[in-house]
Amino acid sequence: MAKVLEGLYYAESHEYVKVEGNIGYVGITDYAQHALGNVVYVDMPDVDDEVTAGEEFGAVESVKAASDLISPVSGVVIEVNETLEDEPEKINADAYENWIIKVELSDKSELENLMDAKAYTAFCEK
């Protein structure tokens, strides 16, 4: 079974957001990286780009497939994880340590539309 961490918010498209104050760390879940297989490339937006909840902000490519990244929250990208440009496989090693983008949240009420760990675990078991 894939690892699901308590205290994060999860989207049905298998992205997570870890919230610290008004900042959200967005990445793909352990379930998603298992499904993708070996990640070989991560397409990320630029700093200062705006992301919108429910809309694509990049892609993750693996040896098996490419998968769009759907933002679970809206806001402005304040940092991208540049480590992933050279070492995309870090997502396979630990999907939760290796977030993809850091977003300044524009509407924290959007978090209410996401799942907690218990709900996400149940969703993945379907």
PDB file of all heavy atoms in Angstrom, residues 93-125:
ATOM      1  N   ALA A  93      11.921   8.256  -4.799  1.00  0.00           N
ATOM      2  CA  ALA A  93      12.559   7.948  -3.522  1.00  0.00           C
ATOM      3  C   ALA A  93      11.680   8.398  -2.355  1.00  0.00           C
ATOM      4  O   ALA A  93      11.492   7.669  -1.388  1.00  0.00           O
ATOM      5  CB  ALA A  93      13.926   8.606  -3.439  1.00  0.00           C
ATOM      6  N   ASP A  94      11.122   9.593  -2.428  1.00  0.00           N
ATOM      7  CA  ASP A  94      10.227  10.109  -1.388  1.00  0.00           C
ATOM      8  C   ASP A  94       9.382  11.238  -1.967  1.00  0.00           C
ATOM      9  O   ASP A  94       9.808  12.383  -2.041  1.00  0.00           O
ATOM     10  CB  ASP A  94      11.010  10.602  -0.171  1.00  0.00           C
ATOM     11  CG  ASP A  94      10.086  10.895   1.015  1.00  0.00           C
ATOM     12  OD1 ASP A  94       8.881  11.171   0.808  1.00  0.00           O
ATOM     13  OD2 ASP A  94      10.570  10.852   2.158  1.00  0.00           O
ATOM     14  N   ALA A  95       8.165  10.877  -2.363  1.00  0.00           N
ATOM     15  CA  ALA A  95       7.274  11.834  -3.021  1.00  0.00           C
ATOM     16  C   ALA A  95       6.908  13.003  -2.103  1.00  0.00           C
ATOM     17  O   ALA A  95       6.678  14.111  -2.569  1.00  0.00           O
ATOM     18  CB  ALA A  95       6.008  11.126  -3.498  1.00  0.00           C
ATOM     19  N   TYR A  96       6.859  12.757  -0.801  1.00  0.00           N
ATOM     20  CA  TYR A  96       6.424  13.823   0.122  1.00  0.00           C
ATOM     21  C   TYR A  96       7.561  14.766   0.497  1.00  0.00           C
ATOM     22  O   TYR A  96       7.320  15.924   0.805  1.00  0.00           O
ATOM     23  CB  TYR A  96       5.772  13.217   1.366  1.00  0.00           C
ATOM     24  CG  TYR A  96       4.530  12.426   1.015  1.00  0.00           C
ATOM     25  CD1 TYR A  96       4.472  11.061   1.185  1.00  0.00           C
ATOM     26  CD2 TYR A  96       3.414  13.068   0.472  1.00  0.00           C
ATOM     27  CE1 TYR A  96       3.340  10.339   0.844  1.00  0.00           C
ATOM     28  CE2 TYR A  96       2.276  12.357   0.121  1.00  0.00           C
ATOM     29  CZ  TYR A  96       2.239  10.992   0.317  1.00  0.00           C
ATOM     30  OH  TYR A  96       1.124  10.287  -0.025  1.00  0.00           O
ATOM     31  N   GLU A  97       8.797  14.294   0.488  1.00  0.00           N
ATOM     32  CA  GLU A  97       9.941  15.170   0.756  1.00  0.00           C
ATOM     33  C   GLU A  97      10.232  16.037  -0.458  1.00  0.00           C
ATOM     34  O   GLU A  97      10.748  17.141  -0.327  1.00  0.00           O
ATOM     35  CB  GLU A  97      11.186  14.341   1.076  1.00  0.00           C
ATOM     36  CG  GLU A  97      11.319  13.925   2.519  1.00  0.00           C
ATOM     37  CD  GLU A  97      11.380  15.100   3.482  1.00  0.00           C
ATOM     38  OE1 GLU A  97      12.210  16.004   3.300  1.00  0.00           O
ATOM     39  OE2 GLU A  97      10.571  15.107   4.419  1.00  0.00           O
ATOM     40  N   ASN A  98       9.952  15.516  -1.650  1.00  0.00           N
ATOM     41  CA  ASN A  98      10.348  16.185  -2.887  1.00  0.00           C
ATOM     42  C   ASN A  98       9.140  16.831  -3.576  1.00  0.00           C
ATOM     43  O   ASN A  98       8.677  16.378  -4.611  1.00  0.00           O
ATOM     44  CB  ASN A  98      11.079  15.186  -3.788  1.00  0.00           C
ATOM     45  CG  ASN A  98      12.395  14.759  -3.168  1.00  0.00           C
ATOM     46  OD1 ASN A  98      13.338  15.534  -3.122  1.00  0.00           O
ATOM     47  ND2 ASN A  98      12.441  13.552  -2.635  1.00  0.00           N
ATOM     48  N   TRP A  99       8.668  17.903  -2.947  1.00  0.00           N
ATOM     49  CA  TRP A  99       7.569  18.692  -3.513  1.00  0.00           C
ATOM     50  C   TRP A  99       8.019  19.268  -4.865  1.00  0.00           C
ATOM     51  O   TRP A  99       9.209  19.322  -5.166  1.00  0.00           O
ATOM     52  CB  TRP A  99       7.150  19.803  -2.549  1.00  0.00           C
ATOM     53  CG  TRP A  99       8.308  20.606  -2.015  1.00  0.00           C
ATOM     54  CD1 TRP A  99       9.037  20.340  -0.890  1.00  0.00           C
ATOM     55  CD2 TRP A  99       8.910  21.780  -2.604  1.00  0.00           C
ATOM     56  NE1 TRP A  99      10.046  21.271  -0.753  1.00  0.00           N
ATOM     57  CE2 TRP A  99       9.991  22.158  -1.770  1.00  0.00           C
ATOM     58  CE3 TRP A  99       8.636  22.534  -3.732  1.00  0.00           C
ATOM     59  CZ2 TRP A  99      10.783  23.271  -2.054  1.00  0.00           C
ATOM     60  CZ3 TRP A  99       9.433  23.639  -4.005  1.00  0.00           C
ATOM     61  CH2 TRP A  99      10.489  23.994  -3.165  1.00  0.00           C
ATOM     62  N   ILE A 100       7.045  19.687  -5.671  1.00  0.00           N
ATOM     63  CA  ILE A 100       7.351  20.190  -7.019  1.00  0.00           C
ATOM     64  C   ILE A 100       7.340  21.715  -7.067  1.00  0.00           C
ATOM     65  O   ILE A 100       8.269  22.331  -7.584  1.00  0.00           O
ATOM     66  CB  ILE A 100       6.377  19.576  -8.047  1.00  0.00           C
ATOM     67  CG1 ILE A 100       6.575  18.040  -8.064  1.00  0.00           C
ATOM     68  CG2 ILE A 100       6.583  20.175  -9.441  1.00  0.00           C
ATOM     69  CD1 ILE A 100       5.537  17.281  -8.864  1.00  0.00           C
ATOM     70  N   ILE A 101       6.291  22.315  -6.526  1.00  0.00           N
ATOM     71  CA  ILE A 101       6.223  23.782  -6.484  1.00  0.00           C
ATOM     72  C   ILE A 101       5.789  24.251  -5.102  1.00  0.00           C
ATOM     73  O   ILE A 101       5.121  23.531  -4.370  1.00  0.00           O
ATOM     74  CB  ILE A 101       5.256  24.370  -7.550  1.00  0.00           C
ATOM     75  CG1 ILE A 101       3.823  23.833  -7.375  1.00  0.00           C
ATOM     76  CG2 ILE A 101       5.791  24.141  -8.955  1.00  0.00           C
ATOM     77  CD1 ILE A 101       2.788  24.523  -8.255  1.00  0.00           C
ATOM     78  N   LYS A 102       6.182  25.479  -4.777  1.00  0.00           N
ATOM     79  CA  LYS A 102       5.757  26.137  -3.547  1.00  0.00           C
ATOM     80  C   LYS A 102       4.884  27.317  -3.975  1.00  0.00           C
ATOM     81  O   LYS A 102       5.302  28.126  -4.804  1.00  0.00           O
ATOM     82  CB  LYS A 102       6.988  26.625  -2.785  1.00  0.00           C
ATOM     83  CG  LYS A 102       6.749  26.880  -1.311  1.00  0.00           C
ATOM     84  CD  LYS A 102       7.934  27.529  -0.629  1.00  0.00           C
ATOM     85  CE  LYS A 102       9.127  26.643  -0.445  1.00  0.00           C
ATOM     86  NZ  LYS A 102      10.155  27.305   0.418  1.00  0.00           N
ATOM     87  N   VAL A 103       3.679  27.372  -3.434  1.00  0.00           N
ATOM     88  CA  VAL A 103       2.675  28.350  -3.870  1.00  0.00           C
ATOM     89  C   VAL A 103       2.247  29.233  -2.708  1.00  0.00           C
ATOM     90  O   VAL A 103       1.985  28.738  -1.607  1.00  0.00           O
ATOM     91  CB  VAL A 103       1.427  27.601  -4.418  1.00  0.00           C
ATOM     92  CG1 VAL A 103       0.335  28.576  -4.830  1.00  0.00           C
ATOM     93  CG2 VAL A 103       1.807  26.705  -5.588  1.00  0.00           C
ATOM     94  N   GLU A 104       2.160  30.541  -2.966  1.00  0.00           N
ATOM     95  CA  GLU A 104       1.529  31.438  -2.006  1.00  0.00           C
ATOM     96  C   GLU A 104       0.028  31.342  -2.261  1.00  0.00           C
ATOM     97  O   GLU A 104      -0.457  31.702  -3.332  1.00  0.00           O
ATOM     98  CB  GLU A 104       2.021  32.871  -2.188  1.00  0.00           C
ATOM     99  CG  GLU A 104       1.501  33.794  -1.116  1.00  0.00           C
ATOM    100  CD  GLU A 104       2.168  35.160  -1.124  1.00  0.00           C
ATOM    101  OE1 GLU A 104       3.210  35.331  -1.795  1.00  0.00           O
ATOM    102  OE2 GLU A 104       1.618  36.051  -0.467  1.00  0.00           O
ATOM    103  N   LEU A 105      -0.691  30.812  -1.284  1.00  0.00           N
ATOM    104  CA  LEU A 105      -2.120  30.516  -1.463  1.00  0.00           C
ATOM    105  C   LEU A 105      -2.946  31.791  -1.571  1.00  0.00           C
ATOM    106  O   LEU A 105      -2.792  32.715  -0.776  1.00  0.00           O
ATOM    107  CB  LEU A 105      -2.633  29.679  -0.290  1.00  0.00           C
ATOM    108  CG  LEU A 105      -1.872  28.365  -0.034  1.00  0.00           C
ATOM    109  CD1 LEU A 105      -2.388  27.698   1.234  1.00  0.00           C
ATOM    110  CD2 LEU A 105      -2.000  27.433  -1.219  1.00  0.00           C
ATOM    111  N   SER A 106      -3.849  31.814  -2.567  1.00  0.00           N
ATOM    112  CA  SER A 106      -4.703  32.997  -2.730  1.00  0.00           C
ATOM    113  C   SER A 106      -6.064  32.797  -2.066  1.00  0.00           C
ATOM    114  O   SER A 106      -6.765  33.762  -1.792  1.00  0.00           O
ATOM    115  CB  SER A 106      -4.888  33.318  -4.216  1.00  0.00           C
ATOM    116  OG  SER A 106      -5.487  32.235  -4.896  1.00  0.00           O
ATOM    117  N   ASP A 107      -6.444  31.539  -1.793  1.00  0.00           N
ATOM    118  CA  ASP A 107      -7.766  31.281  -1.202  1.00  0.00           C
ATOM    119  C   ASP A 107      -7.709  29.991  -0.388  1.00  0.00           C
ATOM    120  O   ASP A 107      -7.916  28.904  -0.916  1.00  0.00           O
ATOM    121  CB  ASP A 107      -8.814  31.169  -2.316  1.00  0.00           C
ATOM    122  CG  ASP A 107     -10.219  30.962  -1.762  1.00  0.00           C
ATOM    123  OD1 ASP A 107     -10.388  30.933  -0.518  1.00  0.00           O
ATOM    124  OD2 ASP A 107     -11.145  30.823  -2.572  1.00  0.00           O
ATOM    125  N   LYS A 108      -7.428  30.130   0.907  1.00  0.00           N
ATOM    126  CA  LYS A 108      -7.277  28.938   1.747  1.00  0.00           C
ATOM    127  C   LYS A 108      -8.576  28.140   1.876  1.00  0.00           C
ATOM    128  O   LYS A 108      -8.530  26.959   2.209  1.00  0.00           O
ATOM    129  CB  LYS A 108      -6.752  29.323   3.134  1.00  0.00           C
ATOM    130  CG  LYS A 108      -5.258  29.637   3.115  1.00  0.00           C
ATOM    131  CD  LYS A 108      -4.713  29.947   4.478  1.00  0.00           C
ATOM    132  CE  LYS A 108      -4.239  28.693   5.169  1.00  0.00           C
ATOM    133  NZ  LYS A 108      -3.479  28.986   6.398  1.00  0.00           N
ATOM    134  N   SER A 109      -9.715  28.742   1.571  1.00  0.00           N
ATOM    135  CA  SER A 109     -10.975  27.989   1.677  1.00  0.00           C
ATOM    136  C   SER A 109     -11.020  26.849   0.652  1.00  0.00           C
ATOM    137  O   SER A 109     -11.785  25.894   0.817  1.00  0.00           O
ATOM    138  CB  SER A 109     -12.185  28.914   1.505  1.00  0.00           C
ATOM    139  OG  SER A 109     -12.302  29.325   0.157  1.00  0.00           O
ATOM    140  N   GLU A 110     -10.189  26.925  -0.399  1.00  0.00           N
ATOM    141  CA  GLU A 110     -10.132  25.830  -1.387  1.00  0.00           C
ATOM    142  C   GLU A 110      -9.698  24.514  -0.755  1.00  0.00           C
ATOM    143  O   GLU A 110     -10.020  23.442  -1.258  1.00  0.00           O
ATOM    144  CB  GLU A 110      -9.146  26.177  -2.512  1.00  0.00           C
ATOM    145  CG  GLU A 110      -9.621  27.280  -3.417  1.00  0.00           C
ATOM    146  CD  GLU A 110      -8.571  27.678  -4.446  1.00  0.00           C
ATOM    147  OE1 GLU A 110      -7.366  27.375  -4.270  1.00  0.00           O
ATOM    148  OE2 GLU A 110      -8.968  28.298  -5.439  1.00  0.00           O
ATOM    149  N   LEU A 111      -8.972  24.597   0.350  1.00  0.00           N
ATOM    150  CA  LEU A 111      -8.507  23.382   1.019  1.00  0.00           C
ATOM    151  C   LEU A 111      -9.677  22.515   1.467  1.00  0.00           C
ATOM    152  O   LEU A 111      -9.548  21.294   1.582  1.00  0.00           O
ATOM    153  CB  LEU A 111      -7.619  23.741   2.217  1.00  0.00           C
ATOM    154  CG  LEU A 111      -6.323  24.492   1.884  1.00  0.00           C
ATOM    155  CD1 LEU A 111      -5.660  24.993   3.151  1.00  0.00           C
ATOM    156  CD2 LEU A 111      -5.377  23.615   1.073  1.00  0.00           C
ATOM    157  N   GLU A 112     -10.833  23.140   1.700  1.00  0.00           N
ATOM    158  CA  GLU A 112     -12.026  22.398   2.129  1.00  0.00           C
ATOM    159  C   GLU A 112     -12.510  21.428   1.053  1.00  0.00           C
ATOM    160  O   GLU A 112     -13.245  20.490   1.351  1.00  0.00           O
ATOM    161  CB  GLU A 112     -13.154  23.376   2.503  1.00  0.00           C
ATOM    162  CG  GLU A 112     -12.807  24.244   3.706  1.00  0.00           C
ATOM    163  CD  GLU A 112     -13.744  25.433   3.861  1.00  0.00           C
ATOM    164  OE1 GLU A 112     -14.857  25.418   3.288  1.00  0.00           O
ATOM    165  OE2 GLU A 112     -13.354  26.381   4.570  1.00  0.00           O
ATOM    166  N   ASN A 113     -12.102  21.652  -0.201  1.00  0.00           N
ATOM    167  CA  ASN A 113     -12.520  20.778  -1.308  1.00  0.00           C
ATOM    168  C   ASN A 113     -11.622  19.555  -1.450  1.00  0.00           C
ATOM    169  O   ASN A 113     -11.875  18.689  -2.285  1.00  0.00           O
ATOM    170  CB  ASN A 113     -12.501  21.551  -2.632  1.00  0.00           C
ATOM    171  CG  ASN A 113     -13.426  22.748  -2.593  1.00  0.00           C
ATOM    172  OD1 ASN A 113     -14.469  22.719  -1.956  1.00  0.00           O
ATOM    173  ND2 ASN A 113     -13.029  23.815  -3.260  1.00  0.00           N
ATOM    174  N   LEU A 114     -10.546  19.500  -0.667  1.00  0.00           N
ATOM    175  CA  LEU A 114      -9.582  18.405  -0.775  1.00  0.00           C
ATOM    176  C   LEU A 114      -9.830  17.367   0.319  1.00  0.00           C
ATOM    177  O   LEU A 114     -10.547  17.618   1.275  1.00  0.00           O
ATOM    178  CB  LEU A 114      -8.161  18.974  -0.683  1.00  0.00           C
ATOM    179  CG  LEU A 114      -7.816  20.002  -1.758  1.00  0.00           C
ATOM    180  CD1 LEU A 114      -6.472  20.659  -1.461  1.00  0.00           C
ATOM    181  CD2 LEU A 114      -7.811  19.368  -3.138  1.00  0.00           C
ATOM    182  N   MET A 115      -9.218  16.200   0.142  1.00  0.00           N
ATOM    183  CA  MET A 115      -9.395  15.106   1.092  1.00  0.00           C
ATOM    184  C   MET A 115      -8.311  15.115   2.160  1.00  0.00           C
ATOM    185  O   MET A 115      -7.187  15.541   1.909  1.00  0.00           O
ATOM    186  CB  MET A 115      -9.319  13.766   0.341  1.00  0.00           C
ATOM    187  CG  MET A 115     -10.441  13.539  -0.634  1.00  0.00           C
ATOM    188  SD  MET A 115     -10.237  11.989  -1.563  1.00  0.00           S
ATOM    189  CE  MET A 115      -9.187  12.544  -2.915  1.00  0.00           C
ATOM    190  N   ASP A 116      -8.659  14.597   3.344  1.00  0.00           N
ATOM    191  CA  ASP A 116      -7.644  14.345   4.362  1.00  0.00           C
ATOM    192  C   ASP A 116      -7.057  12.955   4.117  1.00  0.00           C
ATOM    193  O   ASP A 116      -7.470  12.237   3.196  1.00  0.00           O
ATOM    194  CB  ASP A 116      -8.216  14.502   5.772  1.00  0.00           C
ATOM    195  CG  ASP A 116      -9.310  13.479   6.100  1.00  0.00           C
ATOM    196  OD1 ASP A 116      -9.523  12.502   5.338  1.00  0.00           O
ATOM    197  OD2 ASP A 116      -9.969  13.666   7.131  1.00  0.00           O
ATOM    198  N   ALA A 117      -6.106  12.556   4.938  1.00  0.00           N
ATOM    199  CA  ALA A 117      -5.405  11.284   4.742  1.00  0.00           C
ATOM    200  C   ALA A 117      -6.370  10.099   4.733  1.00  0.00           C
ATOM    201  O   ALA A 117      -6.267   9.206   3.892  1.00  0.00           O
ATOM    202  CB  ALA A 117      -4.338  11.105   5.822  1.00  0.00           C
ATOM    203  N   LYS A 118      -7.328  10.100   5.649  1.00  0.00           N
ATOM    204  CA  LYS A 118      -8.273   8.983   5.753  1.00  0.00           C
ATOM    205  C   LYS A 118      -9.129   8.878   4.492  1.00  0.00           C
ATOM    206  O   LYS A 118      -9.297   7.787   3.928  1.00  0.00           O
ATOM    207  CB  LYS A 118      -9.152   9.177   6.999  1.00  0.00           C
ATOM    208  CG  LYS A 118     -10.082   8.020   7.271  1.00  0.00           C
ATOM    209  CD  LYS A 118     -10.858   8.253   8.561  1.00  0.00           C
ATOM    210  CE  LYS A 118     -11.881   7.149   8.770  1.00  0.00           C
ATOM    211  NZ  LYS A 118     -12.734   7.427   9.908  1.00  0.00           N
ATOM    212  N   ALA A 119      -9.631   9.998   4.030  1.00  0.00           N
ATOM    213  CA  ALA A 119     -10.487  10.011   2.834  1.00  0.00           C
ATOM    214  C   ALA A 119      -9.676   9.630   1.592  1.00  0.00           C
ATOM    215  O   ALA A 119     -10.166   8.892   0.726  1.00  0.00           O
ATOM    216  CB  ALA A 119     -11.135  11.387   2.647  1.00  0.00           C
ATOM    217  N   TYR A 120      -8.431  10.108   1.505  1.00  0.00           N
ATOM    218  CA  TYR A 120      -7.596   9.795   0.354  1.00  0.00           C
ATOM    219  C   TYR A 120      -7.248   8.303   0.318  1.00  0.00           C
ATOM    220  O   TYR A 120      -7.257   7.679  -0.741  1.00  0.00           O
ATOM    221  CB  TYR A 120      -6.329  10.663   0.337  1.00  0.00           C
ATOM    222  CG  TYR A 120      -5.454  10.393  -0.857  1.00  0.00           C
ATOM    223  CD1 TYR A 120      -5.883  10.756  -2.143  1.00  0.00           C
ATOM    224  CD2 TYR A 120      -4.225   9.775  -0.731  1.00  0.00           C
ATOM    225  CE1 TYR A 120      -5.091  10.493  -3.262  1.00  0.00           C
ATOM    226  CE2 TYR A 120      -3.426   9.519  -1.839  1.00  0.00           C
ATOM    227  CZ  TYR A 120      -3.868   9.878  -3.109  1.00  0.00           C
ATOM    228  OH  TYR A 120      -3.080   9.612  -4.202  1.00  0.00           O
ATOM    229  N   THR A 121      -6.957   7.743   1.484  1.00  0.00           N
ATOM    230  CA  THR A 121      -6.663   6.300   1.560  1.00  0.00           C
ATOM    231  C   THR A 121      -7.853   5.499   1.048  1.00  0.00           C
ATOM    232  O   THR A 121      -7.698   4.578   0.231  1.00  0.00           O
ATOM    233  CB  THR A 121      -6.314   5.896   3.011  1.00  0.00           C
ATOM    234  OG1 THR A 121      -5.163   6.631   3.415  1.00  0.00           O
ATOM    235  CG2 THR A 121      -6.040   4.401   3.114  1.00  0.00           C
ATOM    236  N   ALA A 122      -9.052   5.863   1.490  1.00  0.00           N
ATOM    237  CA  ALA A 122     -10.269   5.186   1.034  1.00  0.00           C
ATOM    238  C   ALA A 122     -10.458   5.366  -0.466  1.00  0.00           C
ATOM    239  O   ALA A 122     -10.826   4.423  -1.181  1.00  0.00           O
ATOM    240  CB  ALA A 122     -11.486   5.719   1.803  1.00  0.00           C
ATOM    241  N   PHE A 123     -10.185   6.565  -0.973  1.00  0.00           N
ATOM    242  CA  PHE A 123     -10.301   6.849  -2.413  1.00  0.00           C
ATOM    243  C   PHE A 123      -9.359   5.953  -3.219  1.00  0.00           C
ATOM    244  O   PHE A 123      -9.742   5.398  -4.258  1.00  0.00           O
ATOM    245  CB  PHE A 123      -9.988   8.335  -2.656  1.00  0.00           C
ATOM    246  CG  PHE A 123      -9.961   8.733  -4.087  1.00  0.00           C
ATOM    247  CD1 PHE A 123     -11.146   8.917  -4.799  1.00  0.00           C
ATOM    248  CD2 PHE A 123      -8.755   8.928  -4.752  1.00  0.00           C
ATOM    249  CE1 PHE A 123     -11.116   9.292  -6.137  1.00  0.00           C
ATOM    250  CE2 PHE A 123      -8.725   9.309  -6.093  1.00  0.00           C
ATOM    251  CZ  PHE A 123      -9.907   9.484  -6.781  1.00  0.00           C
ATOM    252  N   CYS A 124      -8.141   5.781  -2.751  1.00  0.00           N
ATOM    253  CA  CYS A 124      -7.144   4.966  -3.460  1.00  0.00           C
ATOM    254  C   CYS A 124      -7.484   3.479  -3.434  1.00  0.00           C
ATOM    255  O   CYS A 124      -7.072   2.737  -4.314  1.00  0.00           O
ATOM    256  CB  CYS A 124      -5.756   5.181  -2.888  1.00  0.00           C
ATOM    257  SG  CYS A 124      -5.085   6.816  -3.223  1.00  0.00           S
ATOM    258  N   GLU A 125      -8.226   3.060  -2.431  1.00  0.00           N
ATOM    259  CA  GLU A 125      -8.576   1.643  -2.297  1.00  0.00           C
ATOM    260  C   GLU A 125      -9.753   1.252  -3.187  1.00  0.00           C
ATOM    261  O   GLU A 125     -10.039   0.071  -3.334  1.00  0.00           O
ATOM    262  CB  GLU A 125      -8.877   1.314  -0.830  1.00  0.00           C
ATOM    263  CG  GLU A 125      -7.618   1.300   0.020  1.00  0.00           C
ATOM    264  CD  GLU A 125      -7.881   1.187   1.512  1.00  0.00           C
ATOM    265  OE1 GLU A 125      -9.056   1.271   1.929  1.00  0.00           O
ATOM    266  OE2 GLU A 125      -6.895   1.044   2.268  1.00  0.00           O
TER     267      GLU A 125
END
